[in-house]
């Protein structure tokens, strides 16, 4: 093969690579990439921007850029056990004080995020980049903690927030590890109704998460 032919082939390859690079930077390609990466979160952000996809994509691109420098690390076995024990305490507390249990669980989830390397003040954007499937439970946890501040917060709503927070807590703490057998049922204590002779009591059985209202992702 002559030198001239080799040069022509190299030039052709360079041109094709340049065309592909330009195509990847095109607005259409960027939109497709962001939609694929963020899934339902893409539509949420577009809605927050009043349907302006360009502004939404600018925000999502900024999230990706901002999360690139983070060093997200899994918890070691000792810390996983510690957090699981802490969560078990909140699960027991839920029987007597659902509101305080939800607030404490939200703080516990925040501690897990901070320890794993997410920004302490507002981990939401980084979470959407590094752990997208954790967003519904994180939103539920934050909303539940706010709801729990109300004196008349419905117990069922608090229970739902607690369950959704548990899903995200497990996802972030275990990070692919199998859940220990003693907590594998994923149950939440369900107080029995109050009676005329006394306050609500703890039932012998616990209601499975799968039977609780609102456990599916948004």
């Amino acid at each position: 093969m002559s030198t001239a032919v080799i040069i022509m082939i190299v030039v052709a390859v360079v041109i094709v690579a340049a065309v592909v690079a330009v195509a990847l930077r095109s607005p259409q390609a960027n939109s497709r990439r962001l939609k694929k990466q963020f899934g339902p979160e893409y539509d949420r952000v577009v809605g927050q921007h009043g349907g302006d996809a360009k502004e939404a994509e600018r925000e999502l691109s900024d999230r990706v850029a901002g999360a690139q420098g983070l060093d997200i690390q899994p918890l070691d076995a000792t810390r996983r056990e510690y957090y699981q024990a802490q969560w078990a305490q909140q699960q027991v507390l839920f029987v007597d004080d659902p509101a305080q249990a939800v607030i404490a669980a939200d703080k516990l989830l925040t501690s897990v995020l901070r320890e794993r390397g997410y920004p302490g003040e507002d981990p939401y954007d980084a979470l959407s980049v590094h752990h997208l499937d954790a967003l519904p439970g994180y939103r539920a946890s934050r909303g539940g903690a706010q709801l729990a501040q109300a004196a008349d917060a419905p117990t069922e709503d608090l229970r739902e927030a607690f369950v959704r927070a548990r899903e995200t807590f497990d996802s972030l703490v275990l990070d692919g590890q199998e859940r220990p057998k003693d907590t594998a049922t994923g149950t939440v204590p369900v107080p029995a109704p109050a009676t005329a002779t006394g306050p609500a009591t703890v039932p012998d059985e616990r209601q499975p998460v799968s039977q609780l209202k609102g456990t599916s992702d948004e």
Side-chain angles (χ1 to χ4, degrees), residues 99 103 144-154 158:
I103 292 172
Q146 294 177 1
L147 177 65
Q149 303 293 335
D152 56 348
L158 293 174

Side-chain angles (χ1 to χ4, degrees), residues 30-31 33-35 38 40-64 125 128:
N30 187 54
S31 295
R33 178 179 60 81
L34 291 172
K35 287 178 181 179
F38 286 95
E41 181 68 5
Y42 178 94
D43 295 327
R44 281 177 52 84
V45 177
V46 170
Q48 290 173 348
H49 285 277
D52 189 334
K54 185 175 296 185
E55 285 299 318
E57 290 171 4
R58 182 177 292 110
E59 176 184 330
L60 293 174
S61 296
D62 288 343
R63 290 189 190 183
V64 174
D125 289 356
S128 71

Side-chain angles (χ1 to χ4, degrees), residues 7-204:
I7 293 175
M8 291 177 62
I9 293 175
V10 172
V11 171
V13 170
V14 172
I15 293 174
V16 170
V19 171
V20 171
V22 171
L24 291 175
R25 290 198 299 268
S26 68
Q28 294 81 2
N30 187 54
S31 295
R32 289 192 296 269
R33 178 179 60 81
L34 291 172
K35 287 178 181 179
K36 181 178 181 180
Q37 178 176 359
F38 286 95
E41 181 68 5
Y42 178 94
D43 295 327
R44 281 177 52 84
V45 177
V46 170
Q48 290 173 348
H49 285 277
D52 189 334
K54 185 175 296 185
E55 285 299 318
E57 290 171 4
R58 182 177 292 110
E59 176 184 330
L60 293 174
S61 296
D62 288 343
R63 290 189 190 183
V64 174
Q68 285 179 348
L70 297 176
D71 183 21
I72 308 299
Q73 296 291 334
L75 300 174
D76 61 30
T78 300
R79 297 304 289 170
R80 287 199 302 270
E81 292 177 3
Y82 166 79
Y83 279 116
Q84 287 168 335
Q86 291 295 308
W87 188 276
Q89 293 180 14
Q90 307 317 319
Q91 190 155 299
V92 173
L93 174 63
F94 189 93
V95 176
D96 297 320
D97 196 338
Q100 286 305 310
V102 168
I103 292 172
D106 181 64
K107 292 180 179 178
L108 192 60
L109 182 56
T110 299
S111 295
V112 171
L113 287 166
R114 184 180 297 111
E115 185 164 336
R116 288 203 53 186
Y118 289 93
E121 292 298 323
D122 185 8
Y124 188 92
D125 289 356
L127 196 61
S128 71
V129 175
H130 288 283
H131 216 122
L132 182 64
D133 62 346
L135 286 185
Y138 179 75
R139 288 195 298 266
S141 180
R142 298 268 60 213
Q146 294 177 1
L147 177 65
Q149 303 293 335
D152 56 348
T155 300
E156 184 62 26
D157 290 346
L158 293 174
R159 182 186 293 112
E160 179 179 343
F162 192 86
V163 170
R164 299 296 298 277
R166 171 64 184 271
E167 294 169 357
T168 289
F169 176 85
D170 281 346
S171 177
L172 290 166
V173 170
L174 299 176
D175 199 35
Q177 300 290 324
E178 184 177 356
R179 184 189 296 173
K181 291 183 179 179
D182 60 347
T183 60
T185 54
T187 57
V188 173
V190 182
T195 65
T197 57
T201 58
V202 182
D204 293 333

